[in-house]
Structures are given as structure tokens and as C-alpha cells.
Amino acid sequence: TISVIDYSQKKLLKTVSFNQSGTLCPVMNNGNAELFMMNNNQMISCYDGLTFMAKYSISLSTGTIKDFKVQNNYLYVLYTYNYYTARIRTYDLSTQLLVNEKTVYNSNYNFNCNLFMQSNKLFFKYSSQIYNSQVGSYVYRIGCVNYNLNNHIPTDSVVIMPSSINFDSINGNYIDVYNIQPSPDGNYLTCNDEGDILSLADNSIHNVQSGTNFNPIVVYSNNGKYLLAKQNNIGGMSSNLIDVFSLPNFNLVTNIKSPNPILNQSSIIKDDILDNDSLVSYNLKHTFLNSQTKSVLTVFFKKFN
């Protein structure tokens, strides 16, 4: 079951139950609200984002879909052809036809790969396992490739060096590829969980870790002017203090409190995001009574300028 809530009007628009489950991706595509669902790692279906009426589906005859992104009426599908090869397919959604396919990774031990799409850039991230003869064991390495889009097609690429992103693991321990995240404008890249931010304009590294935010979660504003750094959850607890930095100079603008509960209870889903110069904090609380679920969404707004 999925619901659409217009939080500016504090109004529930629609609730619909689907007869299948899968990875959901709600997007504004060419001014239209659409919902994409990946089912069984083989098919991606498109629904109207307000009515939930089915529009079309795109299926892969071979391979396993790892991730997908939608922008400007084009669909980018990342899939693994086999254990060693990852490819990106580009579909024109006005016709649902395949218009391009690119091999983005072809080596041993390719896994944990996914996509990020920001502005006119497509980021391909992956985690690979290689044998390090100096330590006598396999180690993990994270890599990232930035593709520019020409006429919506991924073309020229820039490889972001692993040393800028994260160090190789020494003993083969798992490294989380999802710590790497680009900003909405594609100008910055979160490198690791230690607060290192890579500025792609000059390849400089900035750190937003502080005494109040150790190993911070980083969130960027859509207008590219600010980022917030908030404490990662530790043992079910998290600080409600948030540092806000201005971009591109990375100056600390303010330190504010999130109105969200400090306790990260299993029955509460919460997050803090940036809407330009405002902090938007929301939490979704579920209660269970007599075999029924009641959910309450609460949204807080706080300007910090």
C-alpha cells in the first residue's frame, strides 16, 4: 500500500494497494509526477504519480537490474550481464525504445553497484574485490565514474580516483558503497562516512565532521547553496544537533536543533532534509492496535537564515 501526501496543504491525496512489491522511485518527469517500480530485478513499470494508473513496463530479457534513474523522459537502467560485467541501458520513454547501451565495468568481482543522477551528470558507483599481495588477502575497493550526458546519452567519462573516495580495506572487510553520494547539482561528492566532501570543480577535499557530528550523514540543498551534517545513529541514539554549511566556501552558517525525537525507535521513521534555506524535518510513526496499523506523518519547517 502506498499513499501520496501533499504536505504543503497537509492533505492526503490518494492511497492505493498494489498487487506486487518492488523498489519504488517517485520522480517529477518533464513536469509530471510519476512512480516507477522495479519488480523481480527484471522489469520496471511506470505509473501516474497521482492516480497510480499503469502507463507502461520495460523488461530485460537477460541480466539482473541493479538500479535505475529517470530524468527528462529518459530511463537509465544499470544491470549486471554476469558476475563480471555491468552495463547501462538508456531508454527514450516517449517511445519506450532502447537508444543506447554502454559497458561501464568489466572485471572480476564486480558487485554493489548503483547509479546517481544529478543535473546533467550520471554517477556510476561500484565496489570491487581485488587480491592485495602485500597483505596476502582480498581487499575491497570503491570506485566512481562520472558520465556527462550529451543529448541524454552517457558519453565522456571522468574516473574519480578511489584514493579520493575511500581507502582500500586492509583485511577484506566490507566497505559501504552507499556512503558515496553526489549533490543535486553534481558539483560535490560525499566520499565516505567520515565527513569528507570532494569538490569536483577543483578536486579539493573538505571535511564537515565536528564535535557535535561525528561520522556525519550529509544532506545537500537542491539549490546547491547549503549542506547539512547530522550525527549518525549510534546504538539507537542520535544527536539532534545539525551543522549547516554554505557552499562553495564550506563556512559554518549555523548550528540548529532538529525537532525530531532523539530516540530512533523502531516504530518511528524520521529524517532531516534541506529545502533551500529551510530545514524540513519529518517523522512517520506507526502504532499497532487490534491487528490494524495507524500511521501519522508530522512535518516541521525551520528557516536558518
Side-chain angles (χ1 to χ4, degrees):
T1 302
I2 187 169
S3 301
V4 174
I5 298 172
D6 183 344
Y7 67 74
S8 64
Q9 300 183 33
K10 302 179 177 64
K11 182 180 179 182
L12 174 65
L13 299 182
K14 195 175 183 67
T15 298
V16 172
S17 294
F18 286 85
N19 59 3
Q20 61 178 337
S21 61
T23 303
L24 296 175
C25 178
V27 299
M28 289 298 296
N29 184 28
N30 277 5
N32 299 315
E34 292 182 328
L35 177 70
F36 288 81
M37 176 185 289
M38 180 177 68
N39 183 255
N40 294 328
N41 300 107
Q42 291 290 139
M43 182 175 67
I44 297 174
S45 301
C46 176
Y47 299 84
D48 185 285
L50 298 180
T51 66
F52 293 127
M53 295 294 294
K55 300 177 72 172
Y56 55 83
S57 295
I58 294 175
S59 300
L60 263 68
S61 58
T62 184
T64 301
I65 299 177
K66 290 298 198 178
D67 202 1
F68 66 95
K69 291 293 178 287
V70 177
Q71 180 176 276
N72 297 328
N73 219 30
Y74 280 79
L75 169 68
Y76 303 88
V77 180
L78 172 66
Y79 76 101
T80 51
Y81 179 71
N82 51 39
Y83 192 66
Y84 310 103
T85 304
R87 295 175 178 172
I88 296 177
R89 282 188 170 185
T90 304
Y91 292 88
D92 184 343
L93 294 183
S94 61
T95 61
Q96 294 100 58
L97 294 178
L98 176 67
V99 293
N100 184 260
E101 184 172 63
K102 177 183 292 294
T103 297
V104 293
Y105 193 88
N106 195 346
S107 182
N108 291 340
Y109 309 109
N110 167 42
F111 58 99
N112 291 337
C113 52
N114 64 324
L115 293 176
F116 268 103
M117 172 157 281
Q118 311 295 1
S119 187
N120 201 38
K121 301 175 182 178
L122 187 67
F123 291 86
F124 165 64
K125 303 180 301 177
Y126 63 90
S127 178
S128 60
Q129 188 183 48
I130 60 175
Y131 187 79
N132 188 323
S133 59
Q134 293 182 344
V135 298
S137 64
Y138 285 95
V139 298
Y140 292 105
R141 170 175 289 182
I142 292 177
C144 186
V145 182
N146 174 13
Y147 288 94
N148 292 318
L149 301 179
N150 292 328
N151 294 323
H152 310 287
I153 304 299
T155 53
D156 53 314
S157 61
V158 177
V159 178
I160 301 173
M161 298 303 295
S163 59
S164 300
I165 300 173
N166 215 329
F167 296 107
D168 293 342
S169 66
I170 298 176
N171 54 8
N173 288 336
Y174 176 74
I175 299 178
D176 190 359
V177 68
Y178 298 103
N179 288 331
I180 305 174
Q181 171 133 359
S183 61
D185 56 12
N187 292 329
Y188 305 94
L189 189 73
T190 303
C191 297
N192 47 47
D193 60 358
E194 298 173 352
D196 289 330
I197 309 295
L198 173 64
S199 174
L200 298 176
D202 57 4
N203 288 321
S204 58
I205 297 288
H206 306 265
N207 189 273
V208 294
Q209 184 171 258
S210 69
T212 58
N213 287 308
F214 183 72
N215 290 351
I217 298 172
V218 177
V219 180
Y220 301 90
S221 64
N222 285 331
N223 62 3
K225 293 183 179 180
Y226 302 97
L227 70 81
L228 66 82
K230 57 183 180 178
Q231 177 66 56
N232 209 337
N233 292 336
I234 300 177
M237 298 288 292
S238 67
S239 168
N240 60 348
L241 292 177
I242 294 176
D243 296 324
V244 180
F245 296 84
S246 63
L247 299 173
N249 51 27
F250 286 86
N251 290 335
L252 180 63
V253 175
T254 185
N255 181 271
I256 56 180
K257 276 190 174 183
S258 166
N260 264 322
I262 295 180
L263 277 175
N264 187 20
Q265 301 173 1
S266 59
S267 60
I268 298 179
I269 301 172
K270 64 174 188 173
D271 203 359
D272 302 285
I273 60 178
L274 284 180
D275 185 7
N276 295 338
D277 62 349
S278 296
L279 173 69
V280 182
S281 301
Y282 68 88
N283 63 70
L284 181 64
K285 186 174 183 179
H286 306 297
T287 57
F288 305 92
L289 184 63
N290 298 328
S291 300
Q292 291 185 336
T293 303
K294 180 181 180 181
S295 301
V296 178
L297 175 70
T298 307
V299 186
F300 306 88
F301 300 88
K302 181 181 181 66
K303 278 189 173 290
F304 54 78
N305 62 351

